[in-house]
Amino acid sequence: MIHMTEEGDRKFTIAVWIIEEIIFAIMFWTVAADIARGLRWHPAWYLEATCIAFALISCVIPVLRLVDAVKMPWWFNFLLMADVYIYTISLCLGFYMDPDIPWWGFFGHVLSSMSVGAIVFLALCLIEKHSPAHVTLGSNAAIHCYTLMISLAFGGIWEVMEGYVDVLVGQSVMVYGDFDTLDDLRADLVGSVIMVILATFIMKGRTAIDVADTTVFRNPRKKKEDRGD
């Protein structure tokens, strides 16, 4: 694993953040300029709103890192950012609806399910760490089972939300066909299982508390006071 100094880590975070926002700006421009291939299947307002929303969401982790509030493990950051970018770029370029790559939608949903599983897994490890001594989630295997079940539950809730969004806007912007929901639930299962397998490797020779320790929460104000600023 590559170790960087604090200053090097901050510069790397800023560089990645700038590149992220440039990518979202380019995607937004392709939609606004009416050249995005995804406009064949999706309304412009939906693609533009997606670019803006995910551009803002992608700011959260870098900003928290730069103000020394939270430092996330690298595998967590990688999964979340990969999911956000692949979803936005694929939507604007029309990959999800392209008949030449019918498997792309399934792949994208598997990646999204892995991201949800990563959030659930890390949250469970943090709960285990900060719970009273007499309260425990159990063994590593139990945490993997909880990760799988909670991730699948979130997948079901998301599918319900997609259906209601299409009803409210009066257009098919999130559900793409009669079997889309069934296919998405199947992808949820695959993605959740893959994340559980990854979690097994992450926890090899470690406990949930060890994994939780890779996520650092700090009080920036307190840190400045300790430095005497």
Side-chain angles (χ1 to χ4, degrees), residues 30-105:
T30 62
V31 177
D34 201 30
I35 60 176
R37 189 164 175 267
L39 290 169
R40 293 172 56 185
W41 298 284
H42 305 285
W45 68 264
Y46 178 66
L47 298 181
E48 290 172 348
T50 299
C51 290
I52 293 172
F54 282 130
L56 294 174
I57 291 172
S58 69
C59 291
V60 175
I61 292 178
V63 168
L64 290 176
R65 176 66 192 96
L66 291 173
V67 300
D68 287 327
V70 179
K71 187 174 182 180
M72 302 289 190
W74 69 269
W75 57 266
F76 183 82
N77 291 337
F78 177 80
L79 265 179
L80 261 59
M81 289 299 100
D83 182 24
V84 166
Y85 283 107
I86 288 178
Y87 177 77
T88 304
I89 293 172
S90 298
L91 201 65
C92 291
L93 298 182
F95 288 171
Y96 290 123
M97 303 298 292
D98 192 334
D100 294 330
I101 45 175
W103 51 269
W104 191 267

Side-chain angles (χ1 to χ4, degrees), residues 5 11 15 20 33 47 56 58 85 96 98 104 109 113 127-128 146 180 188 210 212 228:
T5 63
K11 288 180 179 179
E20 289 174 354
L47 298 181
L56 294 174
S58 69
Y85 283 107
Y96 290 123
D98 192 334
W104 191 267
H109 211 86
S113 300
I127 291 171
E128 178 75 3
Y146 296 146
D180 180 60
D188 288 339
D210 294 330

Side-chain angles (χ1 to χ4, degrees), residues 123-200:
L124 289 172
C125 290
L126 289 168
I127 291 171
E128 178 75 3
K129 176 182 177 180
H130 295 287
S131 295
H134 64 282
V135 178
T136 178
L137 295 175
S139 64
N140 288 0
I143 290 177
H144 297 329
C145 288
Y146 296 146
T147 299
L148 179 63
M149 291 186 293
I150 296 173
S151 299
L152 290 175
F154 272 111
I157 293 170
W158 178 266
E159 294 307 315
V160 172
M161 182 276 294
E162 282 189 342
Y164 277 110
V165 167
D166 279 7
V167 170
L168 289 174
V169 301
Q171 291 178 275
S172 181
V173 296
M174 299 193 77
V175 179
Y176 304 137
D178 295 338
F179 294 98
D180 180 60
T181 298
L182 182 60
D183 223 30
D184 286 351
L185 291 174
R186 184 165 58 95
D188 288 339
L189 177 60
V190 174
S192 298
V193 169
I194 292 174
M195 185 58 227
V196 168
I197 293 172
L198 291 177
T200 302

